[in-house]
Short mmCIF file of all heavy atoms in Angstrom, two decimals:
data_model
loop_
_atom_site.label_atom_id
_atom_site.label_comp_id
_atom_site.label_asym_id
_atom_site.label_seq_id
_atom_site.Cartn_x
_atom_site.Cartn_y
_atom_site.Cartn_z
N ARG Z 65 19.65 -3.48 -4.07
CA ARG Z 65 20.40 -4.52 -4.83
C ARG Z 65 21.27 -3.88 -5.90
O ARG Z 65 20.61 -3.09 -6.78
CB ARG Z 65 19.42 -5.47 -5.54
CG ARG Z 65 18.52 -6.27 -4.58
CD ARG Z 65 19.26 -7.15 -3.71
NE ARG Z 65 19.89 -8.37 -3.98
CZ ARG Z 65 19.27 -9.57 -4.13
NH1 ARG Z 65 17.91 -9.66 -3.85
NH2 ARG Z 65 19.96 -10.56 -4.50
N GLY Z 68 22.42 -6.44 -11.74
CA GLY Z 68 22.91 -7.79 -12.03
C GLY Z 68 22.73 -8.78 -10.92
O GLY Z 68 22.59 -10.01 -11.13
N GLU Z 69 22.73 -8.42 -9.67
CA GLU Z 69 22.66 -9.27 -8.56
C GLU Z 69 21.27 -9.96 -8.55
O GLU Z 69 21.22 -11.09 -8.25
CB GLU Z 69 22.90 -8.54 -7.25
CG GLU Z 69 22.99 -9.39 -6.05
CD GLU Z 69 23.29 -8.65 -4.74
OE1 GLU Z 69 24.30 -7.89 -4.79
OE2 GLU Z 69 22.48 -8.69 -3.80
N GLU Z 70 20.17 -9.24 -8.88
CA GLU Z 70 18.84 -9.79 -8.82
C GLU Z 70 18.79 -10.84 -9.90
O GLU Z 70 18.14 -11.85 -9.74
CB GLU Z 70 17.87 -8.73 -9.08
CG GLU Z 70 16.47 -9.06 -8.56
CD GLU Z 70 15.68 -7.88 -8.47
OE1 GLU Z 70 15.70 -7.24 -7.38
OE2 GLU Z 70 14.97 -7.57 -9.39
N ARG Z 71 19.30 -10.54 -11.15
CA ARG Z 71 19.29 -11.51 -12.18
C ARG Z 71 19.88 -12.80 -11.95
O ARG Z 71 19.48 -13.89 -12.17
CB ARG Z 71 19.94 -10.86 -13.35
CG ARG Z 71 19.95 -11.72 -14.71
CD ARG Z 71 20.71 -11.05 -15.78
NE ARG Z 71 22.07 -10.82 -15.41
CZ ARG Z 71 22.74 -9.67 -15.58
NH1 ARG Z 71 22.09 -8.76 -16.01
NH2 ARG Z 71 23.93 -9.58 -15.10
N ASP Z 72 21.11 -12.71 -11.14
CA ASP Z 72 21.73 -13.91 -10.83
C ASP Z 72 21.06 -14.78 -9.76
O ASP Z 72 20.99 -15.96 -9.80
CB ASP Z 72 23.19 -13.58 -10.17
CG ASP Z 72 24.08 -12.86 -11.12
OD1 ASP Z 72 23.91 -13.04 -12.33
OD2 ASP Z 72 25.00 -12.23 -10.74
N ALA Z 73 20.39 -14.03 -8.79
CA ALA Z 73 19.50 -14.71 -7.82
C ALA Z 73 18.42 -15.50 -8.45
O ALA Z 73 17.94 -16.50 -8.02
CB ALA Z 73 18.92 -13.72 -6.83
N LYS Z 74 17.78 -14.77 -9.62
CA LYS Z 74 16.69 -15.57 -10.26
C LYS Z 74 17.20 -16.91 -10.87
O LYS Z 74 16.45 -17.85 -10.94
CB LYS Z 74 16.11 -14.66 -11.31
CG LYS Z 74 15.10 -13.72 -10.93
CD LYS Z 74 14.61 -12.95 -12.12
CE LYS Z 74 13.49 -12.02 -11.70
NZ LYS Z 74 12.91 -11.23 -12.83
N VAL Z 75 18.44 -16.85 -11.34
CA VAL Z 75 19.07 -17.94 -12.00
C VAL Z 75 19.28 -19.11 -10.91
O VAL Z 75 19.04 -20.34 -11.10
CB VAL Z 75 20.23 -17.69 -12.86
CG1 VAL Z 75 20.92 -18.88 -13.44
CG2 VAL Z 75 19.85 -16.77 -13.92
N ARG Z 76 19.87 -18.66 -9.81
CA ARG Z 76 20.29 -19.58 -8.76
C ARG Z 76 19.21 -20.24 -7.93
O ARG Z 76 19.17 -21.37 -7.52
CB ARG Z 76 21.25 -19.05 -7.84
CG ARG Z 76 22.66 -18.78 -8.38
CD ARG Z 76 23.63 -18.14 -7.31
NE ARG Z 76 23.20 -16.83 -7.19
CZ ARG Z 76 23.04 -16.19 -6.10
NH1 ARG Z 76 23.18 -16.81 -5.02
NH2 ARG Z 76 22.69 -14.81 -6.14
N LEU Z 77 18.16 -19.35 -7.57
CA LEU Z 77 17.09 -19.84 -6.62
C LEU Z 77 15.67 -19.88 -7.45
O LEU Z 77 15.17 -18.96 -7.89
CB LEU Z 77 16.94 -18.68 -5.53
CG LEU Z 77 18.16 -18.32 -4.76
CD1 LEU Z 77 17.98 -17.06 -3.90
CD2 LEU Z 77 18.63 -19.52 -3.99
N PRO Z 78 15.30 -21.18 -7.43
CA PRO Z 78 13.99 -21.38 -8.11
C PRO Z 78 12.85 -20.65 -7.29
O PRO Z 78 12.82 -20.77 -5.99
CB PRO Z 78 13.79 -22.92 -8.06
CG PRO Z 78 14.73 -23.41 -7.05
CD PRO Z 78 15.88 -22.32 -6.82
N GLY Z 79 11.95 -20.00 -7.97
CA GLY Z 79 10.80 -19.44 -7.35
C GLY Z 79 11.15 -18.00 -6.74
O GLY Z 79 10.46 -17.51 -5.90
N TYR Z 80 12.29 -17.51 -7.02
CA TYR Z 80 12.79 -16.25 -6.45
C TYR Z 80 11.97 -15.06 -6.87
O TYR Z 80 11.58 -15.02 -8.16
CB TYR Z 80 14.28 -15.90 -6.80
CG TYR Z 80 14.74 -14.51 -6.35
CD1 TYR Z 80 15.18 -14.42 -5.09
CD2 TYR Z 80 14.87 -13.48 -7.20
CE1 TYR Z 80 15.59 -13.18 -4.66
CE2 TYR Z 80 15.29 -12.30 -6.79
CZ TYR Z 80 15.62 -12.15 -5.51
OH TYR Z 80 16.04 -10.94 -5.09
#
Side-chain angles (χ1 to χ4, degrees):
R65 298 302 284 273
E69 187 176 303
E70 199 166 276
R71 181 184 57 232
D72 296 340
K74 277 186 175 181
V75 171
R76 283 183 287 128
L77 305 170
Y80 174 81

